[in-house]
Amino acid sequence: GAVVSQHPSRVICKSGTSVKIECRSLDFQATTMFWYRQFPKKSLMLMATSNEGSKATYEQGVEKDKFLINHASLTLSTLTVTSAHPEDSSFYICSAREGAGDYNEQFFGPGTRLTVL
Amino acid sequence: GQNIDQPTEMTATEGAIVQINCTYQTSGFNGLFWYQQHAGEAPTFLSYNVLDGLEEKGRFSSFLSRSKGYSYLLLKELQMKDSASYLCAVSDSNYQLIWGAGTKLIIKP
């Protein structure tokens, strides 16, 4: 099956710093990538949808200046948490989809555990 | 609004069968997915239904009734490693996944 990687898998940072998380589709071209956030014992919360070469579409309540998303190529999307604070600590998961259609499975990366001190 | 409902938690015995239900109300329908998620890990794909009926894949089966807005995931011959959360997700008219809150399945020996 299709493989999506995420880097780093775990990051601890000080409050006020920025953290960049990379999401790569390793064996397919992802026209669309999704960024999710998940709190403990909660379901996935879609933060934004990004299409290669265009601006990301953010869900209501997600600050686009806080969570910068860049989908520079068909295999790479990055999420930058700017000026991170303890409340940004969470499990961030990306997923990638090859295209829209009848079968539009999303392939998930392994996730990034962010802890802001 | 869009809504996916599934039980919060279920308990079953090793070797038994368990059925996890999911009901949905969404704007449009382009298929329903079931994912398994172990604690601290990303979800992994289990099944996809877009037509009514039962899809069987080994110990796991998934059923869909579009007219009722209903699906279930059936797990047979339960093993301890099946202890996980099971997420139901519906692809809406924009091909965006709408997620249920997940069902935590606890398997007891």
Side-chain angles (χ1 to χ4, degrees):
Chain A
V3 179
V4 175
S5 70
Q6 241 178 282
H7 178 78
S9 58
R10 190 180 294 267
V11 58
I12 300 173
C13 68
K14 293 182 179 180
S15 185
T17 60
S18 294
V19 176
K20 180 186 283 188
I21 303 170
E22 290 187 352
C23 177
R24 294 181 184 272
S25 56
L26 298 185
D27 51 2
F28 68 101
Q29 293 187 323
T31 55
T32 306
M33 286 186 168
F34 304 86
W35 286 96
Y36 293 90
R37 183 174 179 176
Q38 188 174 33
F39 294 99
K41 300 182 180 180
K42 299 287 186 183
S43 188
L44 301 173
M45 183 193 80
L46 180 65
M47 298 175 66
T49 302
S50 73
N51 292 295
E52 185 268 337
S54 61
K55 289 184 178 180
T57 302
Y58 289 81
E59 295 300 301
Q60 195 171 12
V62 178
E63 299 175 58
K64 61 181 180 181
D65 295 330
K66 171 84 174 167
F67 300 98
L68 301 177
I69 292 172
N70 184 8
H71 194 159
S73 75
L74 285 171
T75 59
L76 173 64
S77 176
T78 60
L79 167 68
T80 302
V81 183
T82 61
S83 187
H85 288 94
E87 58 265 30
D88 299 324
S89 298
S90 192
F91 191 46
Y92 292 87
I93 308 173
C94 75
S95 70
R97 188 177 70 197
E98 193 165 9
D102 290 342
Y103 189 66
N104 45 43
E105 179 185 347
Q106 291 183 23
F107 300 97
F108 285 87
T112 297
R113 174 77 58 192
L114 171 64
T115 303
V116 184
L117 302 176
Chain B
Q2 309 206 91
N3 196 47
I4 310 283
D5 285 318
Q6 49 182 132
T8 303
E9 186 173 297
M10 299 182 70
T11 302
T13 305
E14 189 177 15
I17 299 173
V18 71
Q19 176 175 311
I20 303 174
N21 296 324
C22 171
T23 58
Y24 63 89
Q25 290 177 307
T26 58
S27 56
F29 180 82
N30 280 302
L32 184 145
F33 295 82
W34 283 96
Y35 284 86
Q36 180 191 61
Q37 185 178 28
H38 285 99
E41 298 179 11
T44 55
F45 171 79
L46 288 179
S47 67
Y48 171 75
N49 294 69
V50 67
L51 299 176
D52 290 350
L54 186 69
E55 294 279 343
E56 297 187 75
K57 193 184 291 185
R59 294 190 299 114
F60 294 4
S61 302
S62 56
F63 171 83
L64 174 68
S65 169
R66 288 172 297 173
S67 63
K68 295 181 179 179
Y70 167 70
S71 172
Y72 67 72
L73 179 70
L74 190 71
L75 294 78
K76 303 176 185 176
E77 301 170 17
L78 286 170
Q79 301 174 10
M80 297 304 292
K81 67 178 183 179
D82 297 329
S83 292
S85 286
Y86 291 85
L87 305 173
C88 172
V90 172
S91 180
D92 70 6
S93 56
N94 296 317
Y95 294 98
Q96 187 169 100
L97 285 183
I98 311 300
W99 292 88
T103 298
K104 182 179 180 181
L105 178 63
I106 300 169
I107 310 296
K108 294 185 175 180

